[in-house]
Amino acid sequence: MEKNEVQKKGFFDKAMDFIEKIGNAMPDPVSLFIILAIVVVILSAILGSMGYSAVHPGTGKTIQVINLLTKDGFRDMYSKAVSNYSGFAPLGMVLVCIIGAAVAEKSGFLVTMMKEVMGDAKSWVVTFAIIFVAINANLAGDAGFIVMPPLAAVIYMGMGRSPVLGMIVAYAGVAGGFSANIMLGMTDALAYGFTENAARMIDPNYSATMAINWYFLIASCFVLSIFGTLLTEKFMVKRFPVSKEELAKYNFDESEGKVTEEQRRGLKWAAVGFVVFVIALVAACIGDDPLLADPKTHSVLTNGSPFMSGIILTVTVALFVVGACYGFGCGRYKNDRDLFADITAGFKDMASYIFMCFFIAQFTSYFAWSNLGIVMAIKGAEFLQSMQFTGAPLLIGLIFVSCIVNILIGSASAKWAILAPIFVPMLMLMGFDPAVTQVAYRIGDSITNPLSPLFPYCPVILGFVRRYAPEMGLGSVIANMVPFSVTYAVIWIIQLLVWIFLDIPLGPGGGIFLN
């Protein structure tokens, strides 16, 4: 019987099994990042001693690989180990978010809310909703990487499915579809700033808006959600079978199919708490000089304003308020000790992630100090330029270069600062509008996010997954992201080619070809 089951496996399952087998053979993530840190130091010594360098196309400055295998390099690695750890941005965000997320999850609020809202909704509807919301979570900055996977895990358990699959689906949506959005956000503004400067190298009068890709990215939300749902429902679900007994190990009772009166009362309390929170938040964002506005521009939506910089805290407080109100309303919490016990339990669940971040922080710091990522990215862009592609093939080449550069450099603005001065003028001379060059870059900047071990939130999803599957390693997580990245890449490239062929506007003031 077992032999027949193996014979029934198709190409997809066999390929996934092979990738996962390789992934599981890899060292523990902590050991892996220690090895990678050593490799970076050795590589920096070799290339640094050779004078390996590149000229930054935006600034014109020569950037050389820095040799870390020196006395000064060792002193930095030794003296800055603690500051590397404490300054590792994802760690602080996760720790703050746990305060609210733990209350919302462990109080039972998330499960009960999903039962009440989703009811008897079909599984594909739930999956589509998770992916669609995850893709648009970039509107809240990086909060989506921290909030969506645990939420999706709870929702999937409510459907009798594996919480690990829920996390993978949500993370693939947030990371792989990061550039797509229904509403314009910070990522659009950051990208356009570099695009405009690069375009003015050819046309000093070039001017548009940050909405030049908006129509295309709105369509992308629906297209990626549809195909992500098909991939999940047709293939991925089969790879994560789960029994009622396994769900019971996660303290999840599938037998509680209906919402009780106590739980419904808790939801009412949570609704009241949420309304009060929203009113307070809105009050802090309106007026001539709002409390959460930039003191210079008086705008709450300006990059760097207290509101935008405090998105993580806003999400945390919202989750804490609704979770606490629900807990006291339904009777789970009798006093503050019960409430804080759940928060403590939330931190215990993330202990392995907190430990792992020390080594990840050292590796990412060494990689940044050495300039290896920037130099390799510039060399990659120069290589594509030397291939002398034209038209659509060049745009597709830009997508793949962006994919590779994305693995080397985490910052979206840093990547586009390197690539924009090369490709925007080049494609303008070929008759392409800067908008289509920018959208090609943004596609490549998204689709390899789920696969990159250098991506800042890769260890975050690993930490979340290990709460339910301690045996899973970094390789296993990345292996299960491969189908989503490949699917998103194929679909997005086809969508772009259709847009080019039909000459459809990418957004207000953003066409395919120059007039």
Side-chain angles (χ1 to χ4, degrees):
M1 181 68 180
E2 201 170 302
K3 187 176 179 182
N4 291 334
E5 287 179 0
V6 173
Q7 290 176 344
K8 290 179 181 178
K9 285 188 176 184
F11 174 78
F12 175 83
D13 286 319
K14 289 179 180 178
M16 287 295 295
D17 287 343
F18 177 73
I19 295 173
E20 195 158 0
K21 185 177 180 180
I22 294 176
N24 288 333
M26 295 175 69
D28 183 87
V30 171
S31 300
L32 183 62
F33 281 104
I34 292 173
I35 294 169
L36 287 173
I38 294 171
V39 170
V40 166
V41 172
I42 295 173
L43 196 58
S44 75
I46 296 172
L47 297 180
S49 61
M50 293 170 55
Y52 195 67
S53 62
V55 178
H56 194 295
T59 63
K61 293 182 179 179
T62 299
I63 299 175
Q64 186 168 337
V65 173
I66 304 299
N67 182 359
L68 299 181
L69 203 59
T70 61
K71 282 186 177 181
D72 288 338
F74 178 80
R75 287 165 182 159
D76 281 341
M77 288 187 282
Y78 192 84
S79 64
K80 296 180 180 179
V82 175
S83 59
N84 291 342
Y85 185 37
S86 61
F88 188 55
L91 176 62
M93 291 180 181
V94 170
L95 295 181
V96 171
C97 206
I98 286 174
I99 298 172
V103 176
E105 178 188 348
K106 295 184 180 300
S107 67
F109 166 74
L110 293 178
V111 175
T112 306
M113 182 190 69
M114 293 315 303
K115 288 179 183 177
E116 190 75 357
V117 173
M118 291 295 183
D120 297 324
K122 295 183 180 296
S123 58
W124 69 266
V125 174
V126 178
T127 298
F128 179 89
I130 289 173
I131 297 176
F132 188 81
V133 172
I135 289 173
N136 283 279
N138 67 72
L139 295 171
D142 294 339
F145 292 101
I146 300 167
V147 175
M148 285 305 300
L151 176 60
V154 173
I155 294 172
Y156 261 43
M157 283 194 289
M159 297 164 56
R161 285 183 170 180
S162 166
V164 174
L165 176 60
M167 288 186 170
I168 286 172
V169 169
Y171 182 77
V174 178
F178 188 75
S179 289
N181 50 45
I182 292 293
M183 297 176 62
L184 297 173
M186 202 185 321
T187 55
D188 301 276
L190 289 172
Y192 176 72
F194 292 105
T195 300
E196 183 178 78
N197 287 336
R200 287 180 176 176
M201 295 167 65
I202 300 298
D203 179 6
N205 298 318
Y206 176 81
S207 180
T209 70
M210 69 177 189
I212 53 176
N213 296 152
W214 197 16
Y215 302 155
F216 183 88
L217 297 178
I218 289 174
S220 298
C221 291
F222 292 95
V223 171
L224 295 181
S225 297
I226 290 170
F227 283 92
T229 299
L230 289 171
L231 172 66
T232 302
E233 297 298 317
K234 295 294 184 182
F235 300 101
M236 297 302 294
V237 170
K238 299 174 184 177
R239 295 193 57 79
F240 290 88
V242 67
S243 64
K244 292 182 180 180
E245 291 74 20
E246 288 175 308
L247 288 175
K249 293 179 183 178
Y250 309 137
N251 296 320
F252 183 84
D253 189 355
E254 189 187 15
S255 64
E256 297 179 1
K258 295 183 179 180
V259 178
T260 65
E261 287 301 317
E262 290 79 8
Q263 291 172 330
R264 194 163 277 115
R265 182 174 65 246
L267 289 177
K268 291 178 180 177
W269 283 39
V272 172
F274 183 70
V275 169
V276 171
F277 169 75
V278 170
I279 291 174
L281 183 63
V282 170
C285 294
I286 59 176
D288 295 332
D289 185 17
L291 182 63
L292 296 180
D294 187 304
K296 295 181 180 178
T297 64
H298 304 301
S299 171
V300 295
L301 298 179
T302 302
N303 187 23
S305 70
F307 176 77
M308 297 302 293
S309 299
I311 285 288
I312 292 291
L313 182 61
T314 300
V315 172
T316 298
V317 174
L319 291 172
F320 179 87
V321 169
V322 295
C325 289
Y326 173 83
F328 283 108
C330 73
R332 172 179 170 81
Y333 297 148
K334 304 298 182 183
N335 49 51
D336 59 338
R337 288 189 294 275
D338 295 338
L339 172 65
F340 296 143
D342 273 351
I343 297 176
T344 301
F347 276 91
K348 287 180 179 177
D349 290 340
M350 297 302 293
S352 62
Y353 167 75
I354 296 170
F355 166 66
M356 181 171 53
C357 277
F358 175 81
F359 301 95
I360 299 171
Q362 309 312 316
F363 162 67
T364 54
S365 295
Y366 300 169
F367 197 69
W369 295 345
S370 68
N371 288 335
L372 281 169
I374 296 176
V375 172
M376 290 179 180
I378 295 172
K379 293 293 185 182
E382 291 174 349
F383 172 75
L384 179 58
Q385 190 176 18
S386 69
M387 297 294 290
Q388 297 184 337
F389 288 147
T390 58
L394 178 58
L395 287 169
I396 296 174
L398 172 57
I399 291 174
F400 285 111
V401 166
S402 301
C403 288
I404 296 170
V405 172
N406 189 40
I407 294 175
L408 299 172
I409 304 175
S411 170
S413 57
K415 290 190 289 284
W416 195 220
I418 293 169
L419 299 177
I422 296 174
F423 291 104
V424 171
M426 183 195 309
L427 283 157
M428 285 181 73
L429 294 174
M430 295 179 183
F432 284 102
D433 192 287
V436 73
T437 309
Q438 177 179 287
V439 87
Y441 159 73
R442 296 184 73 178
I443 291 172
D445 183 48
S446 297
I447 53 183
T448 50
N449 282 340
L451 304 180
S452 174
L454 305 185
F455 191 62
Y457 293 98
C458 179
V460 174
I461 185 61
L462 178 59
F464 284 148
V465 165
R466 283 189 157 186
R467 291 171 59 182
Y468 298 100
E471 73 283 358
M472 288 190 70
L474 184 61
S476 296
V477 173
I478 292 177
N480 284 292
M481 296 295 173
V482 170
F484 288 96
S485 284
V486 172
T487 299
Y488 288 174
V490 172
I491 297 304
W492 238 338
I493 289 173
I494 292 174
Q495 182 185 345
L496 178 60
L497 292 175
V498 169
W499 240 258
I500 294 172
F501 180 75
L502 298 178
D503 194 14
I504 303 172
L506 293 162
I512 301 296
F513 304 101
L514 291 171
N515 296 326

